[in-house]
Amino acid sequence: MKGKFVCVVCPTSCDVNAEWNETELLSIDHAQCKLAWEFIRGEIFDPRRTVTTSIMVDGGELPLVSVKTRTPVPKAQVLAVMDRLADVMVRAPVDIGEVIVPDVLGTGSDVVATRKVKHKG
Amino acid sequence: MRTEAVDVAIVGGGPSGMAAAVAARRAGAEKVVLLERGEQLGGILNQCIHDGFGTKVFEQALTGPEYAQIYIDRMEETGVSYALNTMVLDLSPERELTVCSSQGLRQINAKAVVLCMGCRERTRGAIRIPGHRPAGVYTAGVVQYYMNLRNLAVGRRVVILGSGDVGLIMARRLTLEGAQVLCVAEILPYPSGLARNIVQCLDDFDIPLYLRTTVVEIHGRDRVTGVTLAQIGPHGGIVPGTKRLVECDTLLLSVGLIPENELSKKARVALSPVTGGPVVDDHLQTSVPGVFTAGNALQVHDLVDYACLEAERAGASAARYAMAGRLPAAEIAVRPGQGIRYVVPQLVSGTESVDFSMRVVSPDHDRYVIFRRDGHELRRMKENVLAPASMLRIRVRSDRFQRGAGELTVEVGA
């Protein structure tokens, strides 16, 4: 099979032509670096995305803390992860890197805070 | 009024300001003070909770707040002092800053100043969309602030005008939070945001992007009830028969960013009509001696990495100026040639290597960017993909320049 992809690993956003069969990626062209190979193989056989969002904080200097999945989760589960996080609330203080939800939806990826939120006042 | 003297004063505590401050300390400036108007350091990165920052410098995809934390930690390590909730009201060409905070007014006399005020969003007024003035029309960055820092929702059915990166990022963000993003309309024949954002933010969620299309009317009196979209012909003007109504309650504008330079004007810094930022030399020094600038106040960047690299140069130059009182004269004028919209810096001393930033006029591929000094070719660089949305950053080594006055042109060629 053949297809065209935009590599999103870095902002260069290379346009890449790829060729693959049922099980493996056979060739790519026009990529400026090696990272495109893994990304495009992922896009074909197991597309994943890092989910970034924010969750509520009780007693914090800010009402929200930003979070991310530490590793990318299957693209098909992105909206399910959002639903899982919709009602989560943590207490201030929150530290950067703190695990908020371990192994979210069994994806093997922890949801972690991406900033500090201090106590109010 | 209280008066204090510092070596280097930095205006703005976003990534550029922090990078400049750290670099000034590392280059040997004793007393470096950073002044931030807002209540926290980090600037726009605080609301950019998505990832993808840092791929050029840190070789990983960080979120905005994580990226900011790296520089906040470096500020602590290097002993930069900073003041939050502090507004610089005035700057004189003699580098006297009038500063306002809850402690009252004070004056700071700086041996060197680095201007890192960032940029502003263009608004509805700037693009003159006819119609009433109902609630529900926002700039993309304001919605990003409301959603990501204040936990406020703005609407349920959203049309986005303009394909700038912030608009694309917000298309995804709104979708993830349950709003319906109906489409993104872009007046140009190509997107203004990065290709990776078209893929990750629109294609992933099947959000259509209509090129050569704009909003010609906003409907609704109290609240937006819809917008009329129309196709725009190659010479401007609506293509007959292409008007259509889209019912929505919210219109987001992502129609460009403008470097923030009100303070620069007060110091009588010369501005470029093309970039909207100051005219600078290769030390990032403006037309006013001892006043430097970097980041989005100088030129709108796509990547925070490049803004910070630029700011490190400005901070180190400012430290050098504070200690030595002068920098080498920059007498080589840099001019954009065929296919190039602008080049920064606009003046070069020729004494050190220079990282030139530039944007092309229109999309192209497999071309060379060619540097010529008075007609003689100094350097050519192959570029596979050229897009107005992607700033090019190309280094020219110092031994390629010849000293003395003259002209350097940069052009796109075969």
Side-chain angles (χ1 to χ4, degrees):
Chain A
M1 283 159 279
K2 284 181 182 180
K4 240 179 135 76
F5 294 85
V6 175
C7 176
V8 303
V9 173
C10 90
T12 307
S13 312
C14 293
D15 278 313
V16 183
N17 295 304
E19 209 177 333
W20 66 94
N21 62 23
E22 284 72 26
T23 52
E24 54 189 328
L25 179 58
L26 301 173
S27 70
I28 62 170
D29 66 2
H30 275 94
Q32 288 182 32
C33 82
K34 292 175 187 160
L35 296 176
W37 182 274
E38 277 306 310
F39 173 76
I40 287 160
R41 195 169 66 174
E43 283 301 275
I44 295 166
F45 299 107
D46 180 24
R48 286 173 176 262
R49 295 290 183 266
T50 298
V51 179
T52 61
T53 183
S54 53
I55 63 166
M56 291 178 285
V57 181
D58 186 24
E61 56 178 353
L62 291 168
L64 295 171
V65 60
S66 53
V67 298
K68 69 173 182 184
T69 55
R70 203 190 315 257
T71 52
V73 299
K75 194 170 150 184
Q77 277 181 272
V78 167
L79 289 173
V81 169
M82 288 298 294
D83 281 342
R84 168 68 183 81
L85 297 177
D87 300 319
V88 174
M89 184 179 258
V90 290
R91 281 198 66 80
V94 185
D95 201 9
I96 188 166
E98 191 176 317
V99 176
I100 307 292
V101 178
D103 187 16
V104 64
L105 300 183
T107 56
S109 183
D110 295 338
V111 173
V112 297
T114 56
R115 68 165 296 149
K116 298 177 182 180
V117 178
K118 292 185 204 144
H119 260 301
K120 193 187 256 170
Chain B
M1 186 160 52
R2 281 184 299 139
T3 302
E4 79 185 277
V6 303
D7 294 314
V8 179
I10 316 273
V11 184
S16 301
M18 293 194 290
V22 169
R25 278 288 296 146
R26 287 182 177 165
E30 272 304 303
K31 196 162 183 203
V32 178
V33 61
L34 179 147
L35 306 161
E36 165 57 41
R37 176 176 68 178
E39 54 196 9
Q40 55 183 333
L41 293 172
I44 206 71
L45 286 175
N46 287 310
Q47 66 187 59
C48 296
I49 64 169
H50 56 283
D51 73 336
F53 299 94
T55 54
K56 299 275 177 187
V57 169
F58 299 112
E59 291 178 352
Q60 51 178 322
L62 300 164
T63 64
E66 290 171 316
Y67 196 104
Q69 191 62 47
I70 290 175
Y71 278 96
I72 293 170
D73 292 344
R74 286 184 186 177
M75 295 253 294
E76 305 275 339
E77 284 160 27
T78 53
V80 174
S81 65
Y82 62 90
L84 302 175
N85 302 305
T86 299
M87 180 92 181
V88 179
L89 298 177
D90 199 8
L91 171 66
S92 76
E94 292 74 37
R95 301 180 304 279
E96 301 148 331
L97 297 93
T98 309
V99 176
C100 175
S101 70
S102 58
Q103 278 92 54
L105 272 184
R106 65 187 155 125
Q107 183 176 315
I108 296 175
N109 298 334
K111 289 182 185 159
V113 174
V114 189
L115 302 171
C116 296
M117 290 85 70
C119 60
R120 287 172 180 274
E121 296 185 280
R122 291 177 79 205
T123 60
R124 177 181 176 183
I127 52 169
R128 294 188 281 274
I129 309 171
H132 293 294
R133 299 170 60 92
V137 182
Y138 302 91
T139 56
V142 164
V143 173
Q144 192 178 42
Y145 172 78
Y146 285 165
M147 290 184 74
N148 295 349
L149 293 177
R150 295 287 160 208
N151 204 18
L152 300 169
V154 294
R156 300 198 176 281
R157 287 175 59 84
V158 185
V159 169
I160 300 179
L161 175 60
S163 57
D165 287 311
V166 191
L168 299 176
I169 293 291
M170 289 317 294
R172 173 175 62 183
R173 185 77 187 118
L174 284 155
T175 306
L176 289 177
E177 289 290 356
Q180 200 184 349
V181 178
L182 303 164
C183 65
V184 175
E186 168 59 58
I187 195 167
L188 296 172
Y190 50 85
S192 11
L194 298 172
R196 72 196 298 225
N197 286 334
I198 305 287
V199 172
Q200 301 181 100
C201 302
L202 301 187
D203 297 353
D204 269 9
F205 301 98
D206 299 318
I207 299 167
L209 168 64
Y210 302 129
L211 298 172
R212 294 190 173 91
T213 301
T214 193
V215 170
V216 295
E217 193 175 353
I218 298 172
H219 305 279
R221 206 168 242 289
D222 300 320
R223 175 81 199 189
V224 173
T225 57
V227 296
T228 299
L229 296 179
Q231 281 177 33
I232 300 301
H235 308 292
I238 297 168
V239 176
T242 62
K243 277 192 185 181
R244 64 194 174 94
L245 177 71
V246 178
E247 286 180 20
C248 61
D249 58 25
T250 304
L251 175 66
L252 243 68
L253 303 176
S254 180
V255 292
L257 301 166
I258 311 161
E260 163 63 52
N261 280 287
E262 294 309 309
L263 201 58
S264 320
K265 287 181 199 162
K266 287 184 174 175
R268 285 179 238 130
V269 165
L271 301 181
S272 155
V274 186
T275 61
V279 173
V280 291
D281 67 16
D282 53 325
H283 295 98
L284 283 321
Q285 185 170 223
T286 67
S287 61
V288 177
V291 177
F292 299 79
T293 185
N296 284 348
L298 169 57
Q299 55 176 334
V300 174
H301 290 257
D302 329 314
L303 305 181
V304 65
D305 281 341
Y306 288 163
C308 287
L309 288 174
E310 187 175 271
E312 283 171 8
R313 172 101 180 134
S317 302
R320 211 170 128 193
Y321 185 94
M323 291 182 285
R326 61 189 303 245
L327 288 169
E331 293 175 322
I332 305 168
V334 184
R335 309 235 184 268
Q338 177 71 38
I340 300 283
R341 191 157 71 84
Y342 75 77
V343 187
V344 169
Q346 294 91 344
L347 291 162
V348 168
S349 64
T351 56
E352 289 160 64
S353 302
V354 180
D355 291 313
F356 289 96
S357 324
M358 66 203 73
R359 286 185 193 273
V360 296
V361 173
S362 55
D364 209 335
H365 55 85
D366 299 314
R367 295 272 155 183
Y368 288 90
V369 175
I370 304 162
F371 292 76
R372 288 183 214 279
R373 175 76 201 267
D374 303 317
H376 169 76
E377 190 175 310
L378 296 185
R379 174 148 166 55
R380 60 165 54 214
M381 178 84 183
K382 176 84 185 287
E383 293 292 338
N384 297 6
V385 184
L386 296 144
S390 296
M391 180 195 285
L392 297 170
R393 198 175 148 92
I394 300 174
R395 174 165 292 190
V396 178
R397 290 206 321 268
S398 58
D399 55 5
R400 303 283 179 104
F401 297 110
Q402 301 108 11
R403 298 267 192 108
E407 197 174 271
L408 183 75
T409 56
V410 187
E411 63 191 50
V412 177

